[in-house]
Amino acid sequence: MASLETVLTSRLPEDAASWFRQAVHKVRAKGEATDAFLIMWSGAGRRLGQTRIATPTEEELELPFFPEGFGADELGRLLLLQGALAARLPEAHAALVNELYTTGDLRERQAVLRALPHLPAPERFVSSAVEAVRNPATTIIEAIACENAFPARHFSDEAFNQMVLKCLFCEISLRRVYGLARRVTPELRRMVEAYVNERRAAGRPVPEDTALVLT
């Protein structure tokens, strides 16, 4: 039967798959001290690689969520984090997620952001997600804004609108913003229209996907 773990391990070399099975088993079975877990979390990048997950099998299409576009390291870190949180008291969850984000390298931060909608009580992590929109790195913006259900489900209108504008300024297609149509408001239309008018006044091209907001 397909699971996110088999989605990952079936696409890995056997040595990497074996390492991951052992690591996630340790985390799920009894939890790991924070230092030991951080070693696993960091090591996932080297052990699993960044090959993108793509083309689900017929069986995998039946999963509630298929991590298309995730890197192998990002999916592995999602599963490790889910296991780590399940082994900890709820009041310890936010501190661990915050530590992983604030101390992680760029790739580790991306993994945290992609994981957010798949964590228990994800609304607890809104402040970290909103802060990520202010990050200058385009890959961080993509991790929170693109193919990610978290902003559409949990951002305030103000935070969601700012994320959409950030996508436009970073030349990220609005077609990749999950749930955009449901979150369009008169204020977002006004903001995007002002952006379009500024581009036209400067003689610059207007992204065609602004029509997703304006029409």
Side-chain angles (χ1 to χ4, degrees), residues 55-126:
T55 317
T57 65
E58 185 174 342
E59 187 179 25
E60 290 169 349
L61 285 172
E62 299 178 5
L63 291 169
F65 160 69
F66 182 79
E68 189 163 6
F70 275 55
D73 58 333
E74 293 172 322
L75 179 54
R77 284 173 170 141
L78 163 61
L79 294 169
L80 288 170
L81 181 53
Q82 286 178 329
L85 296 184
R88 286 167 167 76
L89 294 174
E91 53 266 31
H93 291 184
L96 178 59
V97 172
N98 184 63
E99 180 175 2
L100 294 177
Y101 184 77
T102 57
T103 64
D105 62 20
L106 190 64
R107 192 76 184 176
E108 291 168 4
R109 291 185 177 198
Q110 290 172 214
V112 172
L113 296 172
R114 289 185 184 275
L116 290 181
H118 311 291
L119 302 182
E123 65 277 1
R124 295 176 293 175
F125 311 118
V126 167

Side-chain angles (χ1 to χ4, degrees), residues 5 8-24 43-49 72-73 76:
E5 184 173 342
L8 175 62
T9 55
S10 67
R11 291 164 169 81
L12 293 175
E14 183 51 39
D15 58 339
S18 177
W19 175 86
F20 179 75
R21 291 189 193 101
Q22 293 178 42
V24 80
R46 176 173 54 85
R47 295 279 191 167
L48 305 180
D73 58 333

Side-chain angles (χ1 to χ4, degrees), residues 194-206:
Y195 166 84
V196 167
N197 290 339
E198 288 179 8
R199 299 276 296 189
R200 285 176 175 159
R204 303 178 69 184
V206 174

Side-chain angles (χ1 to χ4, degrees), residues 5-214:
E5 184 173 342
T6 62
V7 168
L8 175 62
T9 55
S10 67
R11 291 164 169 81
L12 293 175
E14 183 51 39
D15 58 339
S18 177
W19 175 86
F20 179 75
R21 291 189 193 101
Q22 293 178 42
V24 80
H25 175 74
K26 289 180 182 178
V27 170
R28 289 171 176 167
K30 60 180 179 179
E32 287 286 330
T34 298
D35 287 349
F37 173 74
L38 291 177
I39 291 173
M40 292 180 186
W41 172 268
S42 179
R46 176 173 54 85
R47 295 279 191 167
L48 305 180
Q50 299 182 11
T51 301
R52 285 193 170 273
I53 306 294
T55 317
T57 65
E58 185 174 342
E59 187 179 25
E60 290 169 349
L61 285 172
E62 299 178 5
L63 291 169
F65 160 69
F66 182 79
E68 189 163 6
F70 275 55
D73 58 333
E74 293 172 322
L75 179 54
R77 284 173 170 141
L78 163 61
L79 294 169
L80 288 170
L81 181 53
Q82 286 178 329
L85 296 184
R88 286 167 167 76
L89 294 174
E91 53 266 31
H93 291 184
L96 178 59
V97 172
N98 184 63
E99 180 175 2
L100 294 177
Y101 184 77
T102 57
T103 64
D105 62 20
L106 190 64
R107 192 76 184 176
E108 291 168 4
R109 291 185 177 198
Q110 290 172 214
V112 172
L113 296 172
R114 289 185 184 275
L116 290 181
H118 311 291
L119 302 182
E123 65 277 1
R124 295 176 293 175
F125 311 118
V126 167
S127 60
S128 294
V130 170
E131 181 63 30
V133 176
R134 302 187 181 100
N135 195 289
T138 300
T139 55
I140 291 292
I141 306 304
E142 289 178 318
I144 188 59
C146 299
E147 298 88 35
N148 189 333
F150 189 89
R153 293 174 181 170
H154 301 292
F155 274 19
S156 66
D157 284 346
E158 179 182 6
F160 191 87
N161 293 351
Q162 290 298 324
M163 184 188 75
V164 171
L165 264 292
K166 188 67 174 280
C167 286
L168 288 172
F169 286 120
C170 292
E171 300 183 347
I172 296 170
S173 174
L174 297 188
R175 291 184 175 84
R176 299 181 63 194
V177 177
Y178 180 97
L180 174 62
R182 299 195 305 272
R183 293 301 304 265
V184 172
T185 62
E187 176 62 11
L188 180 56
R189 288 194 183 97
R190 185 197 66 76
M191 294 168 70
V192 173
E193 187 172 6
Y195 166 84
V196 167
N197 290 339
E198 288 179 8
R199 299 276 296 189
R200 285 176 175 159
R204 303 178 69 184
V206 174
E208 63 178 22
D209 55 7
T210 54
L212 296 173
V213 174
L214 297 177

